Amino acid sequence: MTAAPARTARRPATADAFQETANHRTNTERTMNVPHPPGRPHVVAVPPRRSGRFRRTARALALAASLAVSLAAVTGCTAPAEALRTPCGLVIDGSGSGAAGGRGFDAEAKLKSTLVPFLTDRSCGTLAFAPVTRSSQTSSCRVADVDLDPPADETTDRDSLRRSVRVVAIKNALAMLKCARTQGGSDVLGALARIGEAMPSGKETPSLLVVSDFEQADKEFTLRVSEIGTDESRERAVDTLLGARGVPGIAGMDVYPVGYGMRHDAKPSDYRPFDAFWTEILSRRAKAHVHDDYRK
């Protein structure tokens, strides 16, 4: 009977043995750059699994971002249109000199060619009207003011809406012209006073489009170039016109004449006193700002 090989005696666990094992683990972990709390065995780090709630939130955010991009593509991602704030006025001359052809300056043609550019360039938010007739301030010719920037919700095509109300503005202007032509006369000063009174008070400076040749001719005063050739005679004529009527209330407003002085374009000697006469009234006495942007 063969004797079984003797088992190797187990080395008793000592403090030195435990220290050797701990040192071996510590050195290994230090080499792997893995933090290891003392006294606990090293565990290989496994990336934490994201919870179902986290995954659902991420999917919801991605879906919202996708919808936002789609909505931007549909709407064109355009910023809200800037509000139109300028109060504007239109003076339209119904006198015989505004007729088409001959010696007339064709008020209707000039109205049609300048009104929309004027409304657009000046950012007009409202438009009031005044006629040039034999007695402009008391004329029965009246049309409703137009709101050129009506309120709308975010789904409204604001540019299209503004174009449609400008069409209304043109229709009202032509209606005013038609009425003014039935009354005759040319009280330009009275029309300026009337449109000045129609302008609302506020922070924005009003802009006025005046479609007229500025030939003042009513029952009380008729402008004749031959009578205003000198500084003295012109001063007297201005005083006579303004004496009982007063200065039109258009101080600080921007005035844009169309058709101004067209009867005198061919003769500079006539135009100079004519222009000096109205410059004295509009710029010096009424203190308006006159511009040539639409002068034709």
Side-chain angles (χ1 to χ4, degrees):
M1 184 173 179
T2 306
R7 295 183 177 180
T8 304
R10 176 179 296 178
R11 192 169 61 179
T14 64
D16 291 341
F18 279 120
Q19 183 62 45
E20 180 181 354
T21 301
N23 290 343
H24 174 73
R25 289 176 175 172
T26 301
N27 291 337
T28 302
E29 290 163 352
R30 183 180 296 112
T31 302
M32 296 176 66
N33 196 27
V34 176
H36 174 61
R40 297 183 62 181
H42 170 68
V43 178
V44 178
V46 177
R49 295 182 63 187
R50 293 178 175 176
S51 67
R53 181 180 179 183
F54 181 89
R55 290 195 300 271
R56 289 192 298 271
T57 302
R59 285 197 297 269
L61 290 174
L63 178 59
S66 176
L67 289 174
V69 171
S70 299
L71 180 60
V74 172
T75 61
C77 197
T78 55
E82 185 176 353
L84 304 178
R85 304 184 184 279
T86 306
C88 294
L90 171 67
V91 172
I92 182 70
D93 195 333
S95 67
S97 62
R103 299 184 61 187
F105 69 93
D106 200 344
E108 182 174 345
K110 286 178 171 49
L111 170 65
K112 291 179 178 178
S113 65
T114 58
L115 181 55
V116 171
F118 167 77
L119 298 177
T120 305
D121 297 343
R122 310 273 72 83
S123 298
C124 295
T126 58
L127 183 64
F129 304 83
V132 175
T133 66
R134 61 178 177 267
S135 182
S136 300
Q137 280 189 284
T138 60
S139 171
S140 59
C141 294
R142 297 185 183 277
V143 295
D145 295 357
V146 178
D147 183 352
L148 297 166
D149 195 20
D153 58 35
E154 63 274 8
T155 64
T156 301
D157 184 341
R158 187 166 291 276
D159 289 338
S160 177
L161 178 61
R162 288 174 176 176
R163 286 193 295 270
S164 66
V165 293
R166 285 172 187 157
V167 171
V168 175
I170 294 173
K171 290 181 178 178
N172 286 10
L174 292 173
M176 176 66 82
L177 175 59
K178 182 178 180 180
C179 178
R181 283 177 168 170
T182 67
Q183 298 187 355
S186 185
D187 177 18
V188 180
L189 189 74
L192 292 172
R194 177 166 164 174
I195 201 64
E197 293 170 356
M199 292 297 97
S201 59
K203 295 181 180 180
E204 301 296 329
T205 301
S207 290
L208 310 177
L209 184 69
V210 185
V211 183
S212 173
D213 57 2
F214 281 74
E215 295 294 334
Q216 181 77 25
D218 57 58
K219 292 184 176 181
E220 297 178 339
F221 183 93
T222 298
L223 178 61
R224 296 183 175 88
V225 173
S226 60
E227 297 176 357
I228 57 172
T230 66
D231 293 342
E232 293 77 9
S233 63
R234 188 164 52 252
E235 191 80 10
R236 287 194 302 271
V238 170
D239 291 339
T240 299
L241 177 58
L242 299 181
R245 313 183 195 203
V247 177
I250 55 175
M253 300 184 189
D254 293 312
V255 177
Y256 298 86
V258 181
Y260 177 90
M262 288 191 66
R263 289 181 59 185
H264 310 291
D265 281 355
K267 296 183 65 176
S269 59
D270 283 353
Y271 182 83
R272 186 193 64 79
F274 172 89
D275 184 52
F277 175 87
W278 281 109
T279 298
E280 175 67 24
I281 292 176
L282 298 174
S283 301
R284 295 193 178 94
R285 302 207 186 185
K287 301 187 183 307
H289 306 297
V290 181
H291 307 273
D292 293 334
D293 299 51
Y294 310 100
R295 186 176 295 191
K296 297 181 180 181

